[in-house]
Amino acid sequence: MSIMLSLNGKPPEIKTQWNVLNLGAGVQSSTLALMAACGEITPIPDFAIFADTQAEPKSVYDWLDWLERQLPFPVHRVTRGNMTDDMMQFRTAKDGRVWTKSTIPAFMKATDGSIGLLGRSCTADFKIAPILKNLRRLCKIKRGEKSVQITQWIGISYDEINRMKPSRDKWTQHRWPLIEKELRRHHCLEWMKSHGYPEPPRSACSYCPFHSNKEWRRLKDYEPEAFAEAVRVEKELQRTKALTDIMRSVPWLHKSCVPLDQVDLSNDKDAGQLDMFGNECEGLCGV
Ligand code: SF4
């Protein structure tokens, strides 16, 4: 219901006690936060919430520090822990076999040369779950609450309309203010510029396999520490998976299945990050 209302250019029908902005700290959600701060989107959110995988490049954390100082409402940073450490952790099944979680959407190359995408849990475990857990805590949501108490603002833009997903929990509903205003990503960048704000970074984990070649190049050229971390994580992920009893395919971060520091990143005709986020995510990564 709220999807249709938003597509019709209106906010959700149900007025709630809490308005909370889901802050990814990228272009769209940062623009949304500053628009709310300027009174261009109402009501003013009670707070923003940022789920930290502890795996974003430094530019995102620096940006978040700056953004927080511009906003008239608080930003709560929440985390489920260090995602990189979690995905390398060995687990033992009841039958004694050793396994690791399939956390990120790595490209998997099988022994016959075929390539698939690893099923993943990163967004669900390290973005959605800590946000919901902390919303319950911060807004004092009772166990078994059936009525809508919170409107969560999701910062996806009109060009990412396929990422709109309704809430699975009865006590919260989603709102997409940028879609209500039919604002695309480039409109957000224009709005930031016209208001004298700097350009926000792309927000995503340093080693996210959804990066486009352009984003990998940007990391390599301008954030070499984040790129080096991605190279390290790829090697570590391969070493870890090779030690498990159930994984025979090899994980890679780039779809060419070539070591990241040897990939030819000059081709821009790859599937873009936004395209892949669009198909896979609910609007909490890359916005
Ligand atoms: S940015 Fe990529 S790796 Fe990080 S949580 Fe989102 S989909 Fe997973």
Side-chain angles (χ1 to χ4, degrees), residues 104-157:
I104 61 169
F107 296 93
M108 302 299 291
K109 189 166 186 181
T111 44
D112 65 1
S114 59
I115 297 171
L117 203 60
L118 190 64
R120 71 196 174 94
S121 60
C122 47
T123 311
D125 289 353
F126 284 85
K127 292 277 183 184
I128 298 172
I131 285 176
L132 291 176
K133 182 179 172 190
N134 283 282
L135 285 182
R136 278 187 173 280
R137 176 180 64 82
L138 291 161
C139 303
K140 299 186 172 45
I141 304 297
K142 291 190 287 254
R143 188 180 282 271
E145 179 63 65
K146 296 271 191 307
S147 59
V148 184
Q149 304 288 313
I150 303 173
T151 299
Q152 277 178 271
W153 298 17
I154 314 279
I156 52 177
S157 47

Side-chain angles (χ1 to χ4, degrees), residues 21-125:
L21 196 157
N22 279 12
L23 190 60
V27 172
Q28 287 96 327
S29 67
S30 298
T31 308
L32 177 56
L34 289 164
M35 282 180 165
C38 292
E40 291 193 19
I41 296 171
T42 56
I44 193 106
D46 295 288
F47 59 87
I49 191 162
F50 170 77
D52 188 3
T53 61
Q54 303 185 26
E56 305 250 0
K58 185 174 178 295
S59 58
V60 174
Y61 297 109
D62 288 348
W63 172 262
L64 190 57
D65 290 343
W66 175 85
L67 181 62
E68 207 170 350
R69 293 195 295 274
Q70 317 305 313
L71 301 176
F73 46 86
V75 176
H76 292 284
R77 303 184 192 206
V78 300
T79 185
R80 202 198 132 170
N82 187 304
M83 193 170 89
T84 317
D85 291 348
D86 188 74
M87 73 178 164
M88 304 301 178
Q89 194 181 326
F90 291 109
R91 293 163 161 92
T92 309
K94 279 185 186 152
D95 62 5
R97 290 193 300 171
V98 175
W99 60 286
T100 55
K101 263 190 168 181
S102 299
T103 305
I104 61 169
F107 296 93
M108 302 299 291
K109 189 166 186 181
T111 44
D112 65 1
S114 59
I115 297 171
L117 203 60
L118 190 64
R120 71 196 174 94
S121 60
C122 47
T123 311
D125 289 353

